Amino acid sequence: MSDSSDSEGQAPHVERKIPNILVTGTPGTGKTTTSEMIAEATGLTHVNVGDLVKQKQLHEGYLEEFDTHILDEDKLIDELEEVMEGGGKIVDFHSCGIFPERWFDLVLVLRAETNVLYPRMEKRNYNQRKITENIECEIMQVVLDEARESYAEEIVIELPSNDINDMESNVDRVRQWVDIYKANHS
Ligand code: DAT
């Protein structure tokens, strides 16, 4: 990864001994489950941003129509800034362009086929509107495009997450990547 500062005046990338990883993707693609497994395999700490937003009230209220909280981005970034500084975090969130680029050493975008994603969302009792929006978002690869626009090309990795074999292979790849990262930054 380059060590140059970006055009938005952010601090230059700091080399961390232990990496920070962003796990993103449409709801239901397996971010939370995969992040927990990566945490267990690597010893890194899982930060579930959705839960944090609710716990610490980092939102400006609830939007009934869309069955979602309105994120207070500034509050969220302030809350996470110190947490991210030490490295070793796996941040799990369905959106990725709001975070400073300098926070992450690897960005994983989980992808799932419509036929597996749909029942996962139905199981969560999402309303029809929310299911349709999320399915469209996945088909149009909205999160992948957002990740590619927000982070350096070489750190954004698209990973299939259709079944348990995909998940295990993804976790294993990340575990190996973390081992190499640590060896190169010790
Ligand atoms: P997310 O955090 O992206 O919303 P999740 O980890 O909560 O997704 O997963 C939603 C549900 O789908 C959960 O019951 C686990 C299941 N699931 C996700 N990815 C999977 C995969 N690759 N193989 C099998 N089940 C998966």
Side-chain angles (χ1 to χ4, degrees), residues 26-33 92 120 124 161-164 167:
T26 306
T29 48
K31 298 180 295 295
T32 301
T33 318
D92 148 14
R120 286 182 199 164
R124 283 182 167 171
S161 179
N162 294 305
D163 55 32
I164 195 68
M167 200 178 265

Side-chain angles (χ1 to χ4, degrees), residues 143-161:
V143 183
L144 180 62
D145 287 349
E146 188 186 358
R148 286 179 173 155
E149 278 163 23
S150 308
Y151 301 93
E153 192 184 349
E154 64 272 20
I155 74 160
V156 177
I157 312 290
E158 180 183 9
L159 294 173
S161 179

